[in-house]
Amino acid sequence: MRANPTEAERRLWSILRAKRLSDFKFKRQQIIDWCIVDFVCLAKRRIIEADGSQHGENEDDLRRDRFLRAQGIRVLRFWNNQILAESEAVTLAIYDALTTPLPSPPSAALPSPARGEGLAGALHA
């Protein structure tokens, strides 16, 4: 993506980069265990994906999303055409997800990947 992003990925990155969205820090093309995610806010444990038609009912995406949710990470997916046509609504949905706490896990608090903790060493800077 970094070398040849889609128009939707460029638009979304222009919204998320450099703490432009209420000072939330995002990284792009981040590796989490065996997954490469489009955009991630490590401090809030949120992943944003920009999806084209190849992602429609994709079993690999479903498996990946289940794995990430099991790690205490929330995944938000937006269609490319939605990002381009409804950028403001997409931005508001992302902001809402960032400011709404995740449900408390049944056991001890989750470690913070932003501090280099957790996910069994799965996050790589």
Side-chain angles (χ1 to χ4, degrees), residues 59-112:
E59 192 58 41
D60 290 334
D61 286 343
L62 295 173
R63 183 172 61 94
R64 189 174 86 136
D65 288 357
R66 281 191 302 269
F67 167 77
L68 293 167
R69 278 194 310 271
Q71 305 305 309
I73 300 171
R74 182 173 176 193
V75 179
L76 288 88
R77 291 186 171 277
F78 298 97
W79 293 109
N80 288 343
N81 61 344
Q82 183 182 18
I83 294 166
L84 297 172
E86 304 170 29
S87 294
E88 188 173 324
V90 167
T91 302
L92 290 173
I94 293 169
Y95 178 79
D96 185 51
L98 290 165
T99 57
T100 303
L102 288 171
S104 298
S107 60
L110 291 171
S112 168

Side-chain angles (χ1 to χ4, degrees), residues 37-49:
V37 301
D38 290 342
F39 308 98
V40 61
C41 178
L42 295 172
K44 291 294 186 172
R45 303 179 72 82
R46 302 301 194 275
I47 290 172
I48 314 299
E49 292 288 319

Side-chain angles (χ1 to χ4, degrees), residues 4 10 25 28 32 35 42 51 57 76 82 94 97 112:
N4 193 21
R10 279 193 304 274
K25 180 180 169 111
R28 64 182 173 153
I32 300 177
C35 308
L42 295 172
D51 291 342
E57 297 188 35
L76 288 88
Q82 183 182 18
I94 293 169
S112 168

